[in-house]
Amino acid sequence: MPLLEVNNLDVCFGLRSGAVKALRDVSFTLERGERLGVVGESGAGKSVLGFSIINLLSRPGHISSGSVHFEGKDLASLAPGELRSIRGNRISMIFQDPMMTLNPVLTIGVQMIECLLAHRRMSKADAKRVALKKLQQVQIPSPEKRLDQYPHELSGGMRQRIVIAIGLLLDPDLIIADEPTTALDVTIQAEIMDLMLNLCEQNNVALILITHDLGVVSQVTQRMLVMYAGRIIEQGPTKEVINDAQHPYTQGLMNALPQMAIPGQKLNQIKGSMPPLQDIPKGCSFNPRCEYVMDICHQALPPFTRSGNCQVACHMMAESAQDKLQLKEV
Amino acid sequence: MAEQNNSLVQISDLYKRFSISGDLLDQLQFKGGKLTRRKEYVHAINGVSLSVMKGEALCVVGESGCGKSTVARTVMGLLTPTAGQISYRGERIDNLSDKQMLPYRKKMQMIFQNPYASLNPRMTIMETLKEPIRFHNPSMAASEIRDKIAEVMLSVGVDPSWGERYSHEFSGGQRQRISIARALAVDPEFIVADEPISALDVSIQAQVLNLMMEAQEQRNLTYLFITHDLAVVEHFGTRVAVMYLGTLCELAPTKQLFSNPRHPYTQALMSAIPRLEDNRPDYIKLSGEVPTPVNLPTGCVFHGRCPHANERCRQEIPTLTLLDDGTQVACHGVEENRV
């Protein structure tokens, strides 16, 4: 049984101007200890996906159809009490901005111990010992001192380490990290990513890494999803997707990276920008920006087609797969 | 020196500090039974000398808090330097009055990081673009102004018929195009761009970068480009200046800097870029954190995190030295051939 199974998930935000579908028909599975990257532009639905897994969506957002199964249990149908025992305990989440995640008026120690006592029956002294151990694991210098400090006394990189330490406190099976290094500098980002990778490998923790940085995804994850306008458009092993992208959008994204172009030459740009979720074009949502657009792209949603170990939602792939089938029959 | 003849903007020995000690009452404190007055400063720039050549794109990179944006703002005259000089085509401009500065303002324009904040939400795009043109060319006829606006809007790929719209009606990429159009409207020679693409998505970043490169070709612009994204620098920059804690550690032509970084900090920065090709990061780990610019370390500002630091680095501040290959680097280790 996979650790996490997401099936045909639809997430809807009911607004006065009408319902906005932030996620459409999202399905994927995650095995124990696997690291999955979710990439896409802002507004593609990456963060909503992270939130909806542990049902942190707040009104007017809600899961309108589909299911999220964690170790076989349907998270959407759990009672709030049961869900609380999973949140923070078995599945923990790391957010982008550590200053927003940490409570500014409580010391680091209080916040860590509170989290432990909420989920485990243990004495305060034991909880403190565990907190210290976790701070050591994330390589924070002089951890005893940190327990008595407030978040504002620490630097950005240090705060994000603390947030990671809190995420690891209860030895979760799954960590959802939503842009964990976007607010940090490159040298600190490299340290934090390396740290997360090692911790996940050592403790066999599964990771969902939500980011817009393809470089980070390629270094940390084993599989990746590419999202566009609320849908998954390509998924597969990270190396294959990055080295041999099939969907025109993924290709465009790779080619738009400055390191892919000859210095001084023009970058390969994707024309236009992502449509707002209120008015997504009919058929394939990428069709106004796609350079290979065909008639069928305006009419029907592209189905997922297998290509190697990847799955791609593009009519071009579907057609060439059909051609191959017909060839076989002849 | 050939370098000086060709330079458009010259920054020499620039210092900028900001007081963080508050007003007089905040500065007073009792210490050992005595009333003392204490002043504290953030030392944002500490002796930076740079010259921007005509027609080049000089990129300034560094981590947050290293003073790169302060350099940009001081060059533009938005901040007055604490010490040092800034000259434009050989004329000193940092000590001019607002009125004397006016002709230079027309030649130097700035593009800001956040297009959501740098466009006035209560002005239509037409008004936003009209303002600088009218201000700098008071004698221009209304029809000429209209033609000029249409021309710059077309050149940045924004439909002139959208002129009556407000900035909130545009996406982030379009807004950044409009701020570029505003900068280009007065036909400047020199543009300072402070992180112009870091608030944008990857596919939009490429569009804006291409636009800036096109404008440079067509109008023979000179850029001072502030960024933290090294991949962009490699693509866009003619020369790169690497800053750390308010000082310049390395200045080199782009190709050279990327193929052969000399300063230990540059080397660490290069190795930290997430790349698509290799599997696991094999980066140079820096110990510790960036010190605060309030209490600067003695000697080389990087010595606390540098794997090659020795006693001399802790005592003596290194100066930029020109190496044989044209790279300028401020490091005792490189000078002594041990790095």
Side-chain angles (χ1 to χ4, degrees):
Chain A
M1 185 171 50
L3 181 71
L4 183 77
E5 206 175 345
V6 176
N7 282 318
N8 310 97
L9 190 69
D10 276 20
V11 169
C12 209
F13 285 77
L15 303 177
R16 218 173 290 162
S17 53
V20 174
K21 283 202 164 179
L23 287 187
R24 293 162 192 242
D25 201 18
V26 169
S27 306
F28 66 92
T29 56
L30 184 71
E31 301 294 333
R32 208 167 271 280
E34 194 180 15
R35 296 184 300 276
L36 175 77
V38 179
V39 295
E41 289 176 74
S42 41
K46 328 183 278 295
S47 293
V48 172
L49 176 62
F51 285 131
S52 54
I53 289 170
I54 48 174
N55 212 343
L56 272 182
L57 294 168
S58 50
R59 297 213 136 264
H62 61 279
I63 294 176
S64 52
S65 74
S67 63
V68 180
H69 286 273
F70 179 71
E71 294 184 318
K73 269 184 276 184
D74 185 358
L75 291 185
S77 67
L78 284 185
E82 280 179 279
L83 191 59
R84 263 204 304 278
S85 72
I86 290 179
R87 264 187 208 153
N89 188 7
R90 311 292 310 283
I91 306 179
S92 66
M93 190 146 181
I94 296 169
F95 299 92
Q96 176 171 356
D97 186 349
M99 201 57 210
M100 307 280 260
T101 321
L102 295 169
N103 189 331
V105 296
L106 297 179
T107 61
I108 305 297
V110 170
Q111 298 187 49
M112 295 185 85
I113 290 166
E114 181 187 41
C115 179
L116 278 163
L117 295 182
H119 290 285
R120 297 262 193 283
R121 289 175 154 270
M122 54 166 52
S123 70
K124 251 190 169 170
D126 281 341
K128 197 172 173 184
R129 218 164 297 135
V130 175
L132 261 181
K133 207 184 103 200
K134 294 294 171 187
L135 286 184
Q136 275 157 4
Q137 266 188 18
V138 296
Q139 295 157 17
I140 283 190
S142 51
E144 300 87 358
K145 212 175 100 195
R146 306 294 167 207
L147 284 179
D148 297 322
Q149 280 183 321
Y150 290 91
H152 75 264
E153 296 177 72
L154 306 170
S155 67
M158 200 89 98
R159 276 182 222 140
Q160 198 58 294
R161 276 167 209 259
I162 303 248
V163 173
I164 293 172
I166 294 179
L168 291 168
L169 265 183
L170 295 143
D171 302 311
D173 296 304
L174 169 63
I175 296 179
I176 302 170
D178 187 0
E179 306 260 7
T181 55
T182 310
L184 306 173
D185 286 313
V186 255
T187 52
I188 312 286
Q189 164 174 294
E191 270 174 54
I192 299 265
M193 270 349 291
D194 202 44
L195 176 75
M196 282 186 56
L197 185 59
N198 285 336
L199 289 171
C200 285
E201 267 178 355
Q202 279 163 21
N203 308 327
N204 201 28
V205 180
L207 175 72
I208 296 182
L209 179 68
I210 299 169
T211 178
H212 65 272
D213 191 332
L214 288 160
V216 171
V217 165
S218 78
Q219 284 179 351
V220 176
T221 64
Q222 296 151 325
R223 271 198 323 130
M224 69 187 272
L225 310 175
V226 184
M227 296 192 64
Y228 187 79
R231 284 180 196 278
I232 296 177
I233 52 148
E234 181 158 6
Q235 62 172 309
T238 306
K239 263 204 188 131
E240 277 181 48
V241 175
I242 285 192
N243 292 333
D244 189 21
Q246 299 293 325
H247 197 285
Y249 174 66
T250 322
Q251 288 173 355
L253 216 53
M254 298 291 166
N255 289 333
L257 292 177
Q259 56 252 57
M260 288 299 179
I262 306 155
Q265 297 282 310
K266 272 186 108 181
L267 293 169
N268 305 305
Q269 61 188 52
I270 311 176
K271 60 180 182 195
S273 55
M274 199 167 69
L277 291 173
Q278 291 92 324
D279 81 289
I280 286 177
K282 214 176 152 235
C284 173
S285 42
F286 188 59
N287 71 43
R289 301 175 76 185
C290 185
E291 49 184 312
Y292 309 105
V293 63
M294 305 178 288
D295 287 340
I296 190 170
C297 302
H298 293 289
Q299 288 143 18
L301 261 180
F304 271 112
T305 318
R306 270 202 105 67
S307 157
N309 295 316
C310 302
Q311 286 195 305
V312 189
C314 178
H315 284 300
M316 239 178 4
M317 303 298 298
E319 277 195 354
S320 66
Q322 232 163 27
D323 288 348
K324 272 181 209 157
L325 265 181
Q326 275 166 357
L327 275 178
K328 252 185 210 167
E329 279 164 11
V330 171
Chain B
M1 235 165 104
E3 206 180 72
Q4 254 156 2
N5 300 333
N6 234 336
S7 78
L8 187 66
V9 176
Q10 186 113 28
I11 304 167
S12 37
D13 210 20
L14 188 71
Y15 282 82
K16 177 70 194 172
R17 55 181 199 189
F18 297 96
S19 168
I20 49 163
S21 34
D23 55 22
L24 183 67
L25 282 179
D26 290 329
Q27 293 169 13
L28 296 177
Q29 57 178 203
F30 269 115
K31 221 176 197 175
K34 262 192 196 158
L35 193 63
T36 51
R37 187 173 170 191
R38 199 177 51 119
K39 280 190 180 174
E40 267 189 321
Y41 294 99
V42 170
H43 301 269
I45 312 176
N46 307 296
V48 167
S49 300
L50 262 180
S51 49
V52 187
M53 303 297 163
K54 253 174 241 165
E56 79 167 346
L58 178 66
C59 294
V60 180
V61 293
E63 294 178 89
S64 45
C66 72
K68 50 191 196 303
S69 288
T70 311
V71 168
R73 284 167 180 267
T74 318
V75 169
M76 288 303 293
L78 297 177
L79 296 169
T80 31
T82 310
Q85 286 189 10
I86 294 159
S87 347
Y88 189 85
R89 287 187 184 271
E91 314 273 334
R92 194 172 162 189
I93 58 167
D94 59 274
N95 55 355
L96 296 183
S97 69
D98 285 355
K99 208 171 172 190
Q100 289 169 314
M101 188 69 188
L102 212 57
Y104 296 100
R105 294 253 189 244
K106 195 184 162 191
K107 292 178 190 155
M108 307 162 73
Q109 287 287 317
M110 187 154 179
I111 301 167
F112 296 90
Q113 172 169 8
N114 188 345
Y116 294 80
S118 62
L119 293 174
N120 189 334
R122 303 184 64 166
M123 277 168 124
T124 61
I125 299 314
M126 193 65 117
E127 285 165 350
T128 304
L129 296 177
K130 199 193 278 174
E131 196 174 39
I133 301 179
R134 264 175 91 173
F135 184 76
H136 286 293
N137 308 292
S139 58
M140 218 174 190
S143 63
E144 271 181 286
I145 294 181
R146 223 173 303 127
D147 291 347
K148 182 80 202 168
I149 294 174
E151 182 216 311
V152 282
M153 280 176 88
L154 273 179
S155 74
V156 297
V158 174
D159 191 335
S161 64
W162 293 346
E164 292 308 315
R165 299 193 191 181
Y166 288 90
S167 62
H168 72 262
E169 294 174 73
F170 294 93
S171 69
Q174 283 170 328
R175 280 182 222 200
Q176 199 59 295
R177 285 165 188 271
I178 293 163
S179 11
I180 294 175
R182 179 176 59 184
L184 295 179
V186 294
D187 297 318
E189 300 173 318
F190 176 58
I191 288 189
V192 174
D194 189 0
E195 304 256 17
I197 57 165
S198 52
L200 307 173
D201 277 311
V202 185
S203 73
I204 310 296
Q205 279 187 358
Q207 294 175 1
V208 172
L209 266 186
N210 278 347
L211 174 65
M212 291 184 67
M213 284 163 74
E214 258 168 43
Q216 185 182 24
E217 253 171 50
Q218 287 164 4
R219 294 160 184 262
N220 200 17
L221 291 172
T222 305
Y223 283 118
L224 179 67
F225 193 91
I226 314 288
T227 181
H228 66 272
D229 189 339
L230 285 158
V232 171
V233 171
E234 187 173 13
H235 187 76
F236 187 81
T238 322
R239 287 189 306 151
V240 191
V242 183
M243 281 187 74
Y244 183 80
L245 212 62
T247 44
L248 206 58
C249 8
E250 188 161 354
L251 177 66
T254 309
K255 243 192 209 152
Q256 209 157 298
L257 188 92
F258 278 81
S259 60
N260 188 17
R262 301 300 297 272
H263 197 283
Y265 176 65
T266 318
Q267 289 170 355
L269 202 61
M270 295 287 168
S271 70
I273 317 175
R275 294 256 176 203
L276 290 178
E277 305 94 46
D278 47 350
N279 220 345
R280 277 291 291 269
D282 188 26
Y283 67 97
I284 303 165
K285 208 167 182 176
L286 290 178
S287 55
E289 308 256 342
V290 185
T292 73
V294 179
N295 300 309
L296 285 180
T298 57
C300 173
V301 282
F302 187 58
H303 78 76
R305 298 175 80 194
C306 182
H308 311 283
N310 67 4
E311 201 45 44
R312 186 175 170 209
C313 301
R314 279 183 274 274
Q315 304 295 339
E316 195 184 323
I317 298 178
T319 48
L320 272 186
T321 2
L322 187 67
L323 303 181
D324 299 336
D325 56 2
T327 303
Q328 289 180 62
V329 67
C331 177
H332 294 310
V334 172
E335 209 182 297
E336 293 165 12
N337 268 330
R338 55 188 169 82
V339 177

